[in-house]
Amino acid sequence: MKFGDTYTEFLHKEQVRFSEKCSHVEYKRLKKVLKTCQRCKTLQEASTADQQEGAANQNKQLCQCQSCPACDQAFFTELMKEVSDIALCFSLRVRHLLHLHVATGMQRYLLWLRQCFMNDQQAMVEKGRTLIEYVTMNAIAIRKILKKYDKVHSSENGKIFKSKMRAEHIELLQSPWLIELGAFSLNLHGSDGEGLNELSGHFSCDLDMTPPIMTLMLPDSLKMEYDLTCAVCLETVFNPYALSCGHLFCKSCACSAASVFIFQGPKSAALDAKCPICREAGVYAKAVHMLELDLLLKIRCKDYWKDRYTAERAEILKQIQLHREKHERAFMGV
């Protein structure tokens, strides 16, 4: 079955599964735009066949230029909007799903009472599987339509657009929420292996490797690998945060890089604080606390997690004492 038919079938299933409409790539419409452009290009080449050799060569160069006014506006503008909407829809839905799983306090108690009367875990598995399929199918559609664009125009604008998505932090398969969803699926599988292979089968994780890797298997034998090493301490991330640029760090390392105390958290960093890797500023305010990934490490690396937890608690107490003394001296005018 061609991908276009597979994607259409996916959209039909999506309408049934989601009570609210989700954004998606208008794959068929964008493909029609490219077909129209391809026909115009063929006509243009035919009309120049009888012209002089120099003029013909010039027209050929125009046909294979790096931009195409005939379809660029209809193509890239709409695709960028679609990708942004998909990224937003995906993050909101994953956040809602994971909030139910890692709830604390009274909310956790109420959820526990509810689970005594309802089997919520299977429903969460189904929601997780649906979200994985949603993001992977749209990511594949984007990859294929950009490849088609470059083929039609003999250009590299599709590759440039991919770079732009990374710069805008909306590349779907690089979303920290996808890593969280992968950790969620592995945590469910670890807590109750029966009946969860359908969800956790998309993801695997080897924390004993160097570096530690989480792997997402995609159709056509493709896969994505996510490095779980903190770039500051060069250890497996502990109590991890993902900055809005997408880079993962331990909470303590992120706070140290932003010159804030651990108990204050990365989100208290100054607006001009930069990512230690890409040096992009303003990436701390929307940092994502990777609670599911931290839970995965707690389950699978118990000794390592316990040692890091003890060390972080000791450092927090030390910083609290320094912070208190600083304010006392300031109050006394010393």
Side-chain angles (χ1 to χ4, degrees):
M1 184 184 291
K2 291 184 177 180
F3 176 77
D5 297 329
T6 304
Y7 189 70
T8 301
E9 183 179 323
F10 156 74
L11 292 179
H12 287 313
K13 288 194 299 182
E14 183 189 71
Q15 291 177 353
V16 175
R17 290 181 298 193
F18 285 132
S19 57
E20 297 178 6
K21 185 177 179 181
C22 278
S23 303
H24 63 272
V25 177
E26 295 286 351
Y27 184 78
K28 283 194 171 182
R29 187 186 63 77
L30 292 173
K31 201 171 180 182
K32 285 181 181 179
V33 172
L34 293 181
K35 284 183 178 179
T36 302
C37 184
Q38 195 170 22
R39 285 196 296 269
C40 293
K41 178 179 174 180
T42 302
L43 291 172
Q44 185 180 5
E45 289 174 345
S47 68
T48 62
D50 297 331
Q51 294 182 5
Q52 297 178 355
E53 184 176 351
N57 289 335
Q58 183 180 1
N59 285 333
K60 184 177 180 181
Q61 181 64 33
L62 287 173
C63 290
Q64 297 186 353
C65 62
Q66 290 295 308
S67 62
C68 177
C71 71
D72 271 11
Q73 185 172 3
F75 188 88
F76 286 117
T77 304
E78 286 299 317
L79 185 57
M80 179 59 78
K81 183 179 183 304
E82 289 166 6
V83 175
S84 299
D85 290 344
I86 292 167
L88 178 60
C89 178
F90 176 69
S91 65
L92 290 175
R93 289 184 175 275
V94 174
R95 190 178 306 173
H96 176 71
L97 174 64
L98 301 188
H99 180 67
L100 297 176
H101 189 234
V102 295
T104 58
M106 181 57 71
Q107 188 174 33
R108 186 177 184 86
Y109 176 71
L110 293 174
L111 288 172
W112 177 80
L113 285 178
R114 178 179 172 180
Q115 288 173 358
C116 293
F117 302 96
M118 299 176 62
N119 183 15
D120 281 350
Q121 191 176 64
Q122 192 56 44
M124 293 175 75
V125 169
E126 177 59 26
K127 288 179 181 179
R129 188 195 66 78
T130 300
L131 286 168
I132 292 171
E133 185 178 13
Y134 171 71
V135 74
T136 54
M137 287 297 291
N138 278 289
I140 293 171
I142 293 166
R143 180 174 62 85
K144 285 185 176 292
I145 202 67
L146 291 175
K147 186 176 180 180
K148 179 74 173 176
Y149 179 96
D150 282 349
K151 183 178 179 181
V152 168
H153 297 92
S154 301
S155 77
E156 293 191 352
N157 273 356
K159 294 181 180 178
I160 294 172
F161 185 83
K162 289 180 183 178
S163 299
K164 188 175 181 181
M165 285 196 298
R166 283 192 289 270
E168 297 286 335
H169 313 311
I170 56 173
E171 189 174 16
L172 300 179
L173 296 181
Q174 296 296 335
S175 170
W177 290 109
L178 183 56
I179 299 175
E180 274 288 82
L181 190 58
F184 164 76
S185 68
L186 293 169
N187 287 333
L188 282 183
H189 181 67
S191 61
D192 181 6
E194 295 184 10
L196 301 180
N197 290 326
E198 183 181 9
L199 175 59
S200 61
H202 291 280
F203 287 92
S204 61
C205 186
D206 191 343
L207 299 175
D208 295 325
M209 286 182 62
T210 305
I213 295 291
M214 180 185 289
T215 303
L216 167 63
M217 297 304 301
L218 299 171
D220 300 326
S221 300
L222 298 174
K223 66 179 181 179
M224 292 291 297
E225 292 186 340
Y226 305 98
D227 188 347
L228 303 181
T229 303
C230 173
V232 175
C233 66
L234 303 181
E235 299 283 348
T236 303
V237 288
F238 169 76
N239 198 3
Y241 272 77
L243 306 186
S244 60
C245 57
H247 294 120
L248 281 176
F249 301 97
C250 305
K251 179 181 180 180
S252 57
C253 295
C255 291
S256 176
S259 300
V260 296
F261 291 123
I262 300 173
F263 67 86
Q264 293 174 318
K267 293 186 179 182
S268 65
L271 293 177
D272 59 351
K274 297 180 180 179
C275 169
I277 297 178
C278 64
R279 309 304 298 167
E280 181 178 348
V283 293
Y284 286 86
K286 295 183 179 180
V288 177
H289 193 184
M290 311 287 278
L291 294 173
E292 288 288 347
L293 181 56
D294 189 48
L295 179 59
L296 178 66
L297 295 169
K298 183 178 181 180
I299 294 171
R300 299 200 176 193
C301 305
K302 293 181 180 179
D303 292 338
Y304 172 77
W305 191 92
K306 186 177 180 180
D307 290 343
R308 290 293 303 266
Y309 176 79
T310 303
E312 185 180 90
R313 290 299 302 170
E315 183 63 23
I316 288 175
L317 291 174
K318 181 181 176 181
Q319 290 183 0
I320 290 174
Q321 181 65 27
L322 289 173
H323 185 67
R324 182 185 297 118
E325 291 175 356
K326 179 182 176 181
H327 280 273
E328 287 176 352
R329 288 195 299 269
F331 179 77
M332 298 296 293
V334 178

